[in-house]
Amino acid sequence: MTNGPRELAPDVYARLRDDIISGELEAGSPLVVTTLATRLGVSRTPVREALRLLTRDGLVESSERQLRVAGRSAQALFDIYEVRIPLEAAAARGAAERHTSIDRMQLTRLHEILREVAPDDVTALNAANRNFHEAIWAATHNSALIDFLKHLDLYLRRYPATALHHAGRYQASRDEHEALLAAILVRDVDAAGELANAHFKAARDVRLRFYDSADPAFLGSDTRA
């Protein structure tokens, strides 16, 4: 092995994080250090460090003296949005107040890309939507706020369905994005915050309705948590 544990730890963390988000490591699955080390072809030290970071991120939890992939539930989804909504509103206000000319070009470009994506292209739509909102975060130039939002995004990416896939939500979301971008570009701080607040409340409500009605097999193996 050419790299030491310290050099390997970030790679191990990224691989385990991606496996959890994708569902390859299902909710509730036990996470045994020796088993994971063998699977990844590394020593136990970087695996322990990766699990510590994933626990900090909320993707891994301790249950009966054993680590496991954190569960998913409607309540957990609601809790994520309870934290996310005020932060997204703060990001919209910050972007309206602090964006630069480069931010304006980036926001406009990514919004146009989002508008041009076919509504039935789920992968491209998710990516374009995430890129647009991440550009709003970046336009705040507030590193602490961006860091909090990135961690929340990790939690949300474990829930397969997004609000954009719900019947009727696509067009409403397009209109909300249009209004939000306009408020940011004219530096209307209050309007930007109010629009973001309404946008993410609507997204939360749709996702919760979808979650309640979806097939448990689609949502993951552990729907009890």
Side-chain angles (χ1 to χ4, degrees):
M1 198 178 296
T2 58
N3 293 323
R6 289 185 180 277
E7 289 74 27
L8 284 169
D11 293 335
V12 173
Y13 165 79
R15 290 172 67 182
L16 291 176
R17 179 200 62 203
D18 292 347
D19 286 349
I20 291 171
I21 289 171
S22 70
E24 184 172 337
L25 286 172
E26 296 182 347
S29 298
L31 298 169
V32 180
V33 171
T34 52
T35 302
L36 292 173
T38 300
R39 174 188 172 206
L40 298 174
V42 297
S43 70
R44 287 173 290 182
T45 300
V47 173
R48 288 194 189 98
E49 175 63 12
L51 291 175
R52 184 187 69 80
L53 295 174
L54 291 164
T55 301
R56 176 206 65 185
D57 291 342
L59 299 179
V60 169
E61 61 189 10
S62 179
S63 175
E64 299 177 353
R65 300 181 182 179
Q66 182 183 53
L67 292 178
R68 68 175 189 176
V69 177
R72 292 180 290 186
S73 68
Q75 182 61 54
L77 184 58
F78 181 88
D79 291 345
I80 293 168
Y81 269 98
E82 189 172 33
V83 177
R84 185 188 189 192
I85 290 168
L87 291 179
E88 292 283 7
R93 290 193 299 270
E97 183 177 12
R98 303 188 194 99
H99 71 262
T100 65
S101 58
I102 294 175
D103 293 326
R104 292 174 68 91
M105 289 187 289
Q106 182 77 331
L107 284 165
T108 301
R109 182 180 70 84
L110 291 173
H111 179 254
E112 286 302 316
I113 291 172
L114 177 56
R115 284 180 57 86
E116 292 170 4
V117 175
D120 59 348
D121 189 342
V122 174
T123 301
L125 189 59
N126 280 341
N129 184 64
R130 181 176 292 114
N131 289 340
F132 174 68
H133 284 290
E134 287 182 352
I136 293 176
W137 305 349
T140 68
H141 300 278
N142 182 328
S143 58
L145 180 57
I146 294 167
D147 188 55
F148 287 137
L149 284 164
K150 283 181 176 179
H151 276 87
L152 285 173
D153 186 58
L154 283 179
Y155 302 159
L156 279 173
R157 286 166 63 186
R158 297 188 61 228
Y159 291 80
T162 75
L164 293 173
H165 307 149
H166 193 278
R169 181 59 189 154
Y170 174 75
Q171 186 56 52
S173 182
R174 280 172 61 101
D175 294 342
E176 291 162 14
H177 284 146
E178 191 89 39
L180 177 57
L181 177 63
I184 290 172
L185 294 183
V186 299
R187 299 190 185 277
D188 190 334
V189 174
D190 291 338
E194 291 170 5
L195 288 164
N197 186 71
H199 176 68
F200 285 99
K201 280 185 175 179
R204 175 201 63 194
D205 293 346
V206 170
R207 289 189 74 163
L208 284 170
R209 287 198 298 272
F210 187 92
Y211 189 96
D212 280 342
S213 63
D215 183 343
F218 173 74
L219 295 171
S221 61
D222 185 355
T223 57
R224 301 162 298 161

